[in-house]
Amino acid sequence: MNKNRLLFFVMLLTTLLISSCDENDNPAGEGDKTPEEATSLLILNEGSMGMNDATLTQYNLQEDAITKDYFRNKNKRGLGDVANDMVQYGSKIYIAVNKSGTVEVIEAASGISIQQIKMETASGASKEPRRIATHGGKVYVTSFDDTVTRIDTVSLTVDGSVEVGMDPEGIAIKNNKIYVANSGGLNWENGYDNTLSVIDLSSFTEEKKIVVGTNPGAVQTDSQGDIYLSVTGNYGDEPGAFKIIRSGSNTAETVEGITSPQKFVISDNKAYIITGSYGVPNSIVVYDCLEERVITNSFISDGTEIPIMNNVTVDPVSGDLFVASTDYVHPGDLYCFDKTGKMKFRLTATGINPSVVVWQ
């Protein structure tokens, strides 16, 4: 092979490699629809433990048509046993399926599965993946084997793992750090965990643990780098609390005026927090993270009552709020409220334990 021909092949190979990396390393690229561009919603239904009945529901916004077992229709098999979380990142959707021990990767546009990533321990048991966060071409998954797993979005393979506290739940990423709430939920008889792990994103190593309160669950950040957590307590003499760790601090402070916080989401520096104790209809508290004040203790303004809220999702463009309801036994509903708290529509019986929403 002469020198010019060799140079041509080297340049061609380089171009192909760069093109491949560009396509897959650009998660905001082709296929990533914003809510205002979307024609459908995908609703994750967690299912019941041991029943292998996790599902996806598709709601076509333009045709007002609902497909209640969308994943099976597309892939001719079920999604698995207890699907705890779902995120869209670029042209793909990642779903953590807890008891099945998988992260299901589907093409957002078509709903077709393109990879089923095994999440297993060395003994072959499920790692029990729980929550997902994304950053820089990587997907990070907390699992009940006390780890955070890193998945490369180019190869769709696991390329790292780091040990954290007991039974990690919520995960958030900000300012080159990964924050993980260690619940210890499986160890409740002998004592919950009470820490937040701080992981350096570059080295993917745990730097420290911050004591935040008993049984922390969801974790989110605002634009200032402040970290927010819902701490559940021990369901006895230790009540739940909503906590803030200010940027650069190692101290968790209680945000007054918010009792029994559960799952929450932050959008446009406003935290939408499901609150309520057992037997009392849930409500949504809205907290302004910049002004540090509760805006309202009851976001829903039209009198709609939802006894048990399972999760909440915000449309970052319109401000619409999606609230998933459950009774843990029968298929639950998905409510859509406008930014003033008035209901726009309700989808009934989407599946068992409906949870988060993504746009398709």
Side-chain angles (χ1 to χ4, degrees), residues 207-219:
E207 289 185 340
K208 58 187 173 186
K209 288 185 174 79
I210 300 173
V211 175
V212 295
T214 300
N215 193 10
V219 56

Side-chain angles (χ1 to χ4, degrees), residues 41-303:
L41 303 176
L42 286 184
I43 304 133
L44 179 66
N45 306 295
E46 297 175 359
S48 299
M49 189 175 298
M51 302 303 291
N52 208 31
D53 58 355
T55 58
L56 276 182
T57 295
Q58 185 198 50
Y59 175 58
N60 189 309
L61 294 160
Q62 296 176 329
E63 299 175 2
D64 188 26
I66 190 165
T67 304
K68 292 194 175 181
D69 202 350
Y70 177 74
F71 182 87
R72 184 181 297 277
N73 288 345
K74 289 290 183 178
N75 297 286
K76 311 308 177 190
R77 62 176 172 86
L79 181 56
D81 195 3
V82 187
N84 281 132
D85 202 7
M86 171 174 71
V87 300
Q88 182 171 0
Y89 192 48
S91 60
K92 304 182 186 74
I93 293 171
Y94 300 81
I95 304 171
V97 189
N98 183 297
K99 292 299 180 183
S100 296
T102 58
V103 170
E104 192 78 47
V105 187
I106 66 174
E107 186 180 63
S110 67
I112 300 296
S113 174
I114 54 179
Q115 188 79 295
Q116 194 178 44
I117 300 169
K118 292 290 185 184
M119 297 285 287
E120 295 179 340
T121 65
S123 65
S126 171
K127 291 167 69 72
E128 299 195 42
R130 294 288 289 180
R131 309 294 170 196
I132 303 174
T134 60
H135 182 83
K138 306 287 184 181
V139 171
Y140 298 86
V141 186
T142 61
S143 295
F144 272 176
D145 69 336
D146 307 339
T147 64
V148 175
T149 299
R150 186 177 63 197
I151 296 171
D152 183 79
T153 59
V154 176
S155 62
L156 294 180
T157 57
V158 173
D159 73 356
S161 179
V162 59
E163 188 171 336
V164 290
M166 284 194 298
D167 309 325
E169 280 277 3
I171 179 171
I173 301 174
K174 190 74 174 180
N175 296 335
N176 206 40
K177 305 292 182 188
I178 306 171
Y179 300 98
V180 176
N182 301 310
S183 72
L186 298 183
N187 193 51
W188 61 273
E189 287 182 304
N190 299 310
Y192 293 97
D193 204 325
N194 63 353
T195 61
L196 177 83
S197 288
V198 181
I199 300 167
D200 181 78
L201 192 61
S202 301
S203 64
F204 201 43
T205 56
E206 185 188 53
E207 289 185 340
K208 58 187 173 186
K209 288 185 174 79
I210 300 173
V211 175
V212 295
T214 300
N215 193 10
V219 56
Q220 296 265 291
T221 66
D222 67 13
S223 65
Q224 304 175 115
D226 293 344
I227 307 154
Y228 298 83
L229 303 104
S230 59
V231 172
T232 307
N234 64 359
Y235 304 101
D237 57 353
E238 292 184 58
F242 193 61
K243 301 274 185 168
I244 177 174
I245 302 173
R246 301 182 191 281
S247 181
S249 170
N250 291 321
T251 302
E253 306 171 33
T254 296
V255 177
E256 301 296 337
I258 301 173
T259 57
S260 303
Q262 301 176 30
K263 293 173 183 171
F264 69 99
V265 63
I266 292 178
S267 179
D268 193 24
N269 287 306
K270 294 181 178 59
Y272 298 85
I273 310 156
I274 298 173
T275 63
S277 54
Y278 180 76
V280 178
N282 289 166
S283 63
I284 293 177
V285 172
V286 185
Y287 179 78
D288 191 311
C289 299
L290 301 184
E291 297 182 2
E292 299 191 1
R293 66 180 181 90
V294 173
I295 297 174
T296 177
N297 284 307
S298 183
F299 168 80
I300 297 173
S301 61
D302 62 0

